[in-house]
Amino acid sequence: MESSGRKFFHITIGVLLALSSLHLVFLQQCNNYYYSEQCSIHGLHLNSSDLGSLEFPVHANIELVNAMIDYFSPEVVQRMRWVSKLTIRQGRVSNIFLKDDLQELIVTSSSTHDVIIGETETEELKRLMITRNKLESIPKNVEKLKTLTVLDLSNNNIEVVDLDELHGLKKLATVDLSSNRIYYLTAVNSFALPRLETFKLDNNFLTEIDFDAWTTPRLTTLSITSNSLKYIKDFKQENFPSLQTYQDQNNLFDCRWRAGFTSMLNTWKQLENYNFQAKDCHKSVQLSAAVYRMLNISVIRNNTIDLDDKEQLQSQLTTMLDTEHKQSRHIESLTKLVKEQTEQLEAVSTTLQAQQTTIDGLLSQIEELQQLVVEIKQSALPTGRTVPKGLRAKMTQEMEEVIRRNLVEVED
């Protein structure tokens, strides 16, 4: 009896374990303590086309570690209806559909190529951080995330950035695009973000930046270190009234331009705790004369050049200005030549007008001669009689001779 009871107990335990294992196939469990702040699920392998009866824990903050998911689809999102904060790290999740009521999405080191944002505006998501992945552009429709405060897309493969894509994100405070492959940054219209405080573009491939369209009254930190910048255009104090921290080391600045730029920065009161050195430049990099004219070289020359080779730099500036003066004189010479040619054309036009007047006068005389011939014919011949054929031919010949002589005089 005791032996039978022991067997029944072992069978019961085995059945319970089998049922428990079967249940885990459908209901994902937290690898850590369920009541912790974040529920971590490790090693999830998922085929979006065959979800079966998959269910996620009822938890507001879920972390997927080493997940293998071909597509984090809307159907997968529906199984996470309680989640407001989602973290995906390591593993491989190529495409992620953004859950409408998500407040925070953090994806790192997951080979993610794209984040799919819906067409309708949402006022839930506050933090979007897709780092150390394979994004090639800012996610489409990012401007629909009206409550977004943090956008971190650092360490991806982004090459071109149109800042107009961030238009309308009035609560955006932090943008980090560091460690991408950005070589072109543009703002076609106005780049106006009223609450932007931090903007980072470190470790990219930028060769120039134009800040003319920027309106960022609260920006306190701007970092553009370790690019390939040769110069910066329209960096005006009125565009950055709150700027306190500015970093642009490790670029390829032209030393002649750099001297004037650092002198300007050292006059900004809000940056008075920083000492910008003109020596952070490359003597081998030289901008073209056209670029210098665009950057107003006369202003740069008037600034103090506190470099060791000041005389050499001053000589280079003088040579460049002499070249500019020569080009100006050449332009003046061309202008004078055009003026002379214009005057010659006007004289020729006047002559042609005079000749046309002469021709008009001759045509009028011919008409008068023709009328005179008619009158002579009428007076010389009796009524009802015709002009003899020989006389008519002679008169015609005389008229042609008069016209020919007049035309020859005009040509002369």
Side-chain angles (χ1 to χ4, degrees):
M1 183 71 179
E2 183 178 349
S3 176
S4 299
R6 193 176 293 113
K7 286 182 179 181
F8 178 77
F9 175 76
H10 287 304
I11 291 172
T12 303
I13 293 297
V15 170
L16 290 175
L17 288 173
L19 290 174
S20 176
S21 298
L22 182 63
H23 181 68
L24 286 175
V25 172
F26 302 104
L27 176 61
Q28 297 298 317
Q29 300 290 337
C30 302
N31 289 81
N32 56 346
Y33 186 55
Y34 176 81
Y35 292 102
S36 62
E37 182 179 350
Q38 186 179 61
C39 170
S40 295
I41 300 174
H42 293 250
L44 174 63
H45 287 229
L46 195 60
N47 187 341
S48 60
S49 61
D50 184 18
L51 299 179
S53 56
L54 171 72
E55 293 292 341
F56 287 93
V58 180
H59 206 292
N61 189 346
I62 288 182
E63 177 189 41
L64 301 180
V65 182
N66 289 319
M68 295 292 184
I69 305 174
D70 61 334
Y71 173 33
F72 204 86
S73 64
E75 291 74 23
V76 176
V77 168
Q78 289 177 1
R79 311 295 176 96
M80 308 180 77
R81 54 186 175 275
W82 301 104
V83 177
S84 59
K85 296 182 180 181
L86 175 62
T87 301
I88 302 174
R89 61 184 179 88
Q90 300 174 351
R92 184 180 297 275
V93 185
S94 295
N95 298 288
I96 301 174
F97 182 82
L98 186 65
K99 190 170 179 282
D100 288 341
D101 57 353
L102 206 61
Q103 296 179 8
E104 180 176 288
L105 175 61
I106 300 175
V107 184
T108 181
S109 303
S110 298
S111 299
T112 300
H113 289 271
D114 193 15
V115 175
I116 303 169
I117 303 172
E119 296 286 345
T120 58
E121 293 184 358
T122 174
E123 297 187 358
E124 296 291 337
L125 192 71
K126 294 179 174 59
R127 295 166 60 88
L128 179 61
M129 305 175 70
I130 315 296
T131 62
R132 300 186 181 280
N133 283 289
K134 297 182 179 181
L135 295 182
E136 295 183 355
S137 62
I138 295 177
K140 185 180 179 181
N141 294 328
V142 70
E143 73 278 2
K144 302 293 183 181
L145 309 177
K146 295 302 181 181
T147 55
L148 194 65
T149 60
V150 176
L151 178 64
D152 187 349
L153 304 179
S154 59
N155 290 278
N156 279 283
N157 298 328
I158 300 173
E159 294 184 350
V160 177
V161 173
D162 182 356
L163 294 176
D164 288 345
E165 296 180 62
L166 306 181
H167 179 72
L169 298 180
K170 298 180 179 180
K171 296 185 178 181
L172 191 59
T174 300
V175 175
D176 191 346
L177 298 174
S178 301
S179 300
N180 276 278
R181 301 176 181 177
I182 302 172
Y183 66 87
Y184 187 67
L185 178 76
T186 181
V188 177
N189 297 310
S190 175
F191 179 53
L193 294 179
R195 296 191 181 182
L196 185 65
E197 297 178 359
T198 300
F199 196 99
K200 294 183 178 181
L201 277 165
D202 305 316
N203 297 299
N204 280 287
F205 302 137
L206 291 165
T207 57
E208 63 179 71
I209 299 181
D210 187 349
F211 288 102
D212 181 55
W214 286 49
T215 304
T216 52
R218 295 191 183 183
L219 189 67
T220 58
T221 300
L222 176 62
S223 186
I224 51 177
T225 65
S226 302
N227 278 270
S228 299
L229 292 168
K230 296 180 181 180
Y231 68 93
I232 297 171
K233 187 172 182 288
D234 289 326
F235 195 77
K236 304 173 184 176
Q237 189 170 7
E238 54 265 30
N239 289 0
F240 307 101
S242 302
L243 192 63
Q244 298 177 3
T245 301
Y246 170 74
Q247 303 292 337
D248 65 2
Q249 295 84 4
N250 300 321
N251 278 284
L252 300 175
F253 294 125
D254 182 312
C255 290
R256 298 166 298 172
W257 170 86
R258 184 67 173 172
F261 183 74
T262 54
S263 296
M264 176 198 67
L265 288 182
N266 285 319
T267 65
W268 288 23
K269 293 182 179 180
Q270 67 269 32
L271 296 174
E272 59 186 8
N273 294 329
Y274 299 89
N275 184 19
F276 297 97
Q277 297 294 326
K279 293 181 180 180
D280 187 13
C281 62
H282 289 255
K283 299 176 184 178
S284 60
V285 176
Q286 293 189 7
L287 299 177
S288 66
V291 172
Y292 270 105
R293 284 196 296 272
M294 176 186 67
L295 297 175
N296 194 357
I297 187 61
S298 61
V299 174
I300 297 176
R301 186 182 66 167
N302 292 333
N303 284 303
T304 302
I305 302 177
D306 54 351
L307 299 178
D308 294 336
D309 54 354
K310 178 178 176 180
E311 293 182 358
Q312 178 185 356
L313 293 177
Q314 189 64 48
S315 175
Q316 291 176 347
L317 284 172
T318 302
T319 302
M320 186 199 64
L321 287 173
D322 289 341
T323 302
E324 184 177 0
H325 291 156
K326 290 179 182 178
Q327 291 177 344
S328 298
R329 288 195 296 270
H330 183 58
I331 292 173
E332 291 176 359
S333 176
L334 290 175
T335 303
K336 183 179 179 180
L337 178 61
V338 170
K339 184 178 179 181
E340 291 176 354
Q341 291 179 345
T342 302
E343 292 175 350
Q344 291 176 0
L345 288 174
E346 290 177 351
V348 171
S349 177
T350 302
T351 303
L352 290 175
Q353 289 178 357
Q355 291 179 351
Q356 183 64 43
T357 302
T358 303
I359 292 173
D360 291 342
L362 291 173
L363 292 175
S364 177
Q365 292 178 13
I366 291 172
E367 291 179 358
E368 292 177 356
L369 287 172
Q370 289 176 339
Q371 182 64 31
L372 179 61
V373 169
V374 173
E375 293 176 357
I376 292 173
K377 287 166 53 178
Q378 291 177 351
S379 62
L381 297 175
T383 304
R385 294 184 60 183
T386 60
V387 180
K389 185 176 181 180
L391 180 59
R392 184 165 60 246
K394 183 178 181 180
M395 293 176 65
T396 302
Q397 185 178 1
E398 290 177 354
M399 289 177 60
E400 290 177 352
E401 182 65 25
V402 170
I403 293 171
R404 186 162 42 252
R405 285 199 305 270
N406 288 327
L407 289 177
V408 170
E409 290 178 0
V410 170
E411 292 177 356
D412 295 338

